[in-house]
Amino acid sequence: MQIKCNVLDRQFRMYQEEYEQAALRVLRSGWYVLGNEVKQFEEEFAKFTGRKYCVGLNSGLDALILSVRALGIGSGDEVIVQANTYIATVLGITENNAVPVFVEPDEYFNMDADKIEQAITDKTKAIMVTHLYGQASEMTKIVDIAKKHHLEIIEDCAQSHGACFAGKMTGTFGISGCFSFYPTKNLGAFGDAGAIVTDDAAFADKIYMMRNYGSKVKYYNEIEGVNSRLDEMQAALLRVKLSHLQELNNERTMLAQRYDKGITNPAVYLPRIRDEAEHIYHQYVIKCNARDSLQKSLEQSGIQTQIHYPIPPHLAKCYHFLGHKKGDYPITETYANEVLSLPIYTGMTLEEQDYVIEQINTCRIE
Ligand SMILES: *Cc1c(COP(=O)(O)O)cnc(C)c1O
């Protein structure tokens, strides 16, 4: 059997008619960028997260970059960020010439809240939290720390659409919740798309202007903006997907629970969930000391897996100038050597999953 890590056409086929209707509606409308579909989607997504405002953007990275910029964070400022996140989180900081200050993750792969305070200096302006793999971070503690030190919280929710902490949706704890709708995300579009959600009217207004050349009224450019507009096609298709997001997340949770029960290989550490945290399993990430050997063995059985992420940002070539070296963040570096993301996607059949489980349980790990 051949199992891919991600299969995107099944989620399309599941609601094919609805997607096709939405696409035709846009094609026939004669209006393709920033229109009624975007407005509707923004309203619906704000409501879904429980925030007052949503501003649709071009990508998750733009959501992060513009959030940092709109807060006036730049040269000479520091932003705290977890060390084992995707490069985009860090780019949101460095694109604004601010300095990322890395904090090690906890056993749930999220920012270790107990290590934040020692990273705070008088230059720290914000904490950038990634709800990695779909599990909400320890937000009660992080919010308390941010309050105590007068820091903003920016949440990278690119992997956590619909995941809650203590019953409260990720993306609602800080001034800005940053979302990506890249096709593989739980709420994925059919191209690039992103958004921020916030309760702060002035902040929303600023992002709203920034995404369209710094203007509210065409050709009246109030601030230096960018082009990060969301198009009507993606917004219309996202509206369809959003209306099914709960089912889609439930399906992933069901699959994750089957992995939890089914995998019995003692060399494999299963993902854990923190009390009060919810996990929407954007990724199902296991740990294994002999990860490379396990991955190779699965590959030989036709099973594709991925590593999120093989090189931590502090060791990435592009961040050489930050001056970090191997050994600076040992937990992060160990994770980079030991994590493995198993196939999990909308429309994965139980037969496919049983095959993955069987191969994990019977494979030889050197
Ligand atoms: C996907 C992702 C992003 C970036 O989103 P894009 O839409 O690809 O720009 C940022 N952070 C995390 C954690 C992601 O997984």
Side-chain angles (χ1 to χ4, degrees):
M1 214 186 285
Q2 293 292 318
I3 314 265
K4 291 245 171 64
C5 218
N6 257 312
V7 178
L8 289 175
D9 55 334
R10 291 192 197 167
Q11 50 96 28
F12 165 66
R13 296 230 166 73
M14 204 172 267
Y15 309 109
Q16 181 164 352
E17 245 174 69
E18 288 176 67
Y19 287 127
E20 289 178 353
Q21 274 175 16
L24 279 175
R25 190 171 71 229
V26 172
L27 288 172
R28 288 169 178 163
S29 73
W31 191 277
Y32 304 115
V33 173
L34 292 186
N36 194 45
E37 297 287 346
V38 170
K39 215 167 169 182
Q40 295 284 329
F41 172 70
E42 286 172 343
E43 272 173 31
E44 288 160 13
F45 195 62
K47 193 166 166 215
F48 172 80
T49 57
R51 292 225 106 165
K52 285 196 190 126
Y53 310 99
C54 168
V55 184
L57 302 167
N58 222 313
S59 69
L61 175 60
D62 278 358
L64 295 160
I65 293 173
L66 296 182
S67 291
V68 170
R69 192 167 302 164
L71 289 171
I73 297 170
S75 195
D77 297 329
E78 292 178 358
V79 177
I80 286 172
V81 63
Q82 80 200 56
N84 63 326
T85 188
Y86 182 48
I87 197 86
T89 323
V90 188
L91 283 168
I93 301 164
T94 57
E95 275 291 298
N96 290 293
N97 300 315
V99 177
V101 175
F102 297 107
V103 166
E104 290 263 53
D106 56 24
E107 61 193 296
Y108 308 95
F109 302 119
N110 278 327
M111 185 183 283
D112 190 336
D114 294 330
K115 294 185 179 152
I116 295 175
E117 282 196 292
Q118 65 204 53
I120 295 174
T121 72
D122 53 8
K123 292 180 186 157
T124 311
K125 293 289 185 296
I127 305 172
M128 192 102 115
V129 187
T130 308
H131 307 292
L132 199 68
Y133 306 146
Q135 177 166 200
S137 308
E138 199 175 14
M139 292 316 294
T140 310
K141 263 194 195 171
I142 294 173
V143 167
D144 282 348
I145 294 167
K147 271 195 189 135
K148 184 173 152 197
H149 297 271
H150 309 288
L151 304 175
E152 297 287 3
I153 294 174
I154 300 169
E155 296 175 73
D156 182 342
C157 305
Q159 304 188 357
S160 72
H161 317 76
C164 290
F165 187 81
K168 195 165 145 40
M169 189 83 73
T170 51
T172 66
F173 291 91
I175 184 157
S176 184
C178 302
F179 289 85
S180 163
F181 307 122
Y182 183 75
T184 59
K185 312 288 186 186
N186 286 37
L187 179 59
F190 293 78
D192 273 314
I196 65 105
V197 296
T198 186
D199 284 339
D200 186 309
F203 182 79
D205 208 48
K206 208 158 182 189
I207 303 277
Y208 184 84
M209 282 197 280
M210 279 175 150
R211 76 167 172 193
N212 195 13
Y213 295 116
S215 63
K216 242 187 276 183
V217 178
K218 209 172 183 175
Y219 307 135
Y220 289 77
N221 307 88
E222 300 180 37
I223 53 176
E224 240 184 316
V226 297
N227 173 359
S228 187
R229 298 178 297 230
L230 179 57
D231 66 73
E232 290 283 279
M233 185 64 81
Q234 299 312 329
L237 296 169
L238 280 167
R239 293 180 65 197
V240 174
K241 173 97 45 101
L242 179 59
S243 73
H244 298 293
L245 180 58
Q246 201 53 59
E247 298 149 57
L248 297 172
N249 281 348
N250 290 346
E251 181 192 8
R252 280 178 190 261
T253 303
M254 180 274 293
L255 290 167
Q257 285 167 352
R258 289 187 88 249
Y259 271 140
D260 285 343
K261 274 215 191 83
I263 299 172
T264 52
N265 189 327
V268 170
Y269 297 85
L270 300 176
R272 306 183 50 196
I273 304 182
R274 187 196 307 280
D275 280 351
E276 296 194 285
E278 228 174 50
H279 203 319
I280 55 149
Y281 295 101
H282 172 61
Q283 302 293 350
Y284 187 90
V285 180
I286 60 170
K287 259 192 325 168
C288 178
N289 296 337
R291 189 268 318 276
D292 292 342
S293 162
L294 173 62
Q295 184 176 39
K296 205 160 162 208
S297 167
L298 292 174
E299 193 183 310
Q300 279 160 0
S301 310
I303 298 165
Q304 191 186 49
T305 56
Q306 283 183 289
I307 297 165
H308 297 104
Y309 299 93
I311 299 169
H314 73 277
L315 297 179
K317 196 172 166 196
C318 67
Y319 284 136
H320 199 73
F321 70 90
L322 291 173
H324 294 292
K325 57 182 192 313
K326 224 174 176 162
D328 282 355
Y329 301 96
I331 300 170
T332 297
E333 291 166 28
T334 304
Y335 284 172
N337 291 329
E338 295 187 351
V339 294
L340 191 67
S341 305
L342 302 183
I344 190 163
Y345 49 83
T346 298
M348 185 179 202
T349 68
L350 303 187
E351 291 71 37
E352 287 172 331
Q353 192 183 28
D354 286 341
Y355 178 69
V356 177
I357 292 170
E358 186 191 305
Q359 294 306 310
I360 291 175
N361 288 342
T362 56
C363 74
R364 281 191 50 203
I365 305 173
E366 314 279 313

